[in-house]
Amino acid sequence: VSGIALGEGENQITVTAKDDAGNVSRDTLTVTYTIPDTTAPVVTITTPTSGTSYETESDNINISGTAIDDTGTNSVTWSNSRGGSGTAIGTTNWSVSGITLGEGENVITVVAKDTAGNTSTDALTITYTVQDTTVPVTVITSPTTGNSMTVEVSRLDISGTASDGAGVAQVTWSNSRGGSG
């Protein structure tokens, strides 16, 4: 017999044989039919943001989130477009600590896999900007490059340079006897 329709759950299939003399024999097969899971889990990154992008001046980051599935989430893994990957701690509520970031954009992709092998992903673009800890260099070049001078005029013009690897935002001056700009 081929093509016996099964209902969800336990199906008892009985085969009966009868000979010409009226003798009867039966055999029973119990078949449990489970509807295949074709629904992927829903994975969501919730920390440091539930948005799609995040900016930081730290060279590593912790992320966490949820992975919801009707039959159970089997695993949650992550990868960074700039290098690095691993397995999160936990499944329904998961977390990853100490992901190393490269300068610029890092796309962190999280993949949740359920017990049937269905997968889903969520991604977070983290932009890592190296924190500027270098002070600008300021040099007075005119009317002298020295640290002091004597003049016989009541007004003085000065000029110089200011430089910084990340750029100079502002240059100001002040006089201990009054005045600034």
Side-chain angles (χ1 to χ4, degrees):
V1 178
S2 61
I4 296 173
L6 300 174
E8 184 178 3
E10 193 173 281
N11 296 261
Q12 296 239 344
I13 301 171
T14 304
V15 177
T16 305
K18 184 177 180 182
D19 65 16
D20 288 336
N23 298 312
V24 177
S25 169
R26 289 188 177 86
D27 196 10
T28 304
L29 174 64
T30 302
V31 177
T32 303
Y33 171 61
T34 304
I35 295 176
D37 177 11
T38 58
T39 304
V42 176
V43 64
T44 305
I45 299 170
T46 58
T47 302
T49 180
S50 58
T52 58
S53 63
Y54 184 76
E55 294 184 12
T56 184
E57 290 182 351
S58 176
D59 63 354
N60 69 64
I61 196 156
N62 302 331
I63 64 171
S64 63
T66 60
I68 308 300
D69 187 72
D70 57 344
T71 62
T73 304
N74 195 32
S75 67
V76 177
T77 58
W78 65 274
S79 63
N80 182 351
S81 63
R82 300 294 297 273
S85 62
T87 301
I89 296 171
T91 52
T92 303
N93 293 298
W94 56 266
S95 64
V96 180
S97 298
I99 297 173
T100 301
L101 302 174
E103 187 174 359
E105 284 190 0
N106 296 258
V107 179
I108 310 298
T109 303
V110 176
V111 179
K113 184 177 182 180
D114 69 13
T115 55
N118 301 306
T119 62
S120 69
T121 63
D122 194 12
L124 175 62
T125 301
I126 300 174
T127 303
Y128 165 48
T129 305
V130 177
Q131 188 175 10
D132 181 9
T133 58
T134 306
V135 297
V137 176
T138 307
V139 178
I140 298 172
T141 58
S142 175
T144 182
T145 57
N147 289 334
S148 66
M149 66 181 283
T150 303
V151 295
E152 294 183 358
V153 294
S154 63
R155 296 204 172 273
L156 181 67
D157 294 334
I158 64 170
S159 62
T161 62
S163 62
D164 186 80
V168 176
Q170 183 179 38
V171 176
T172 62
W173 66 270
S174 66
N175 183 345
S176 64
R177 296 283 189 151
S180 63

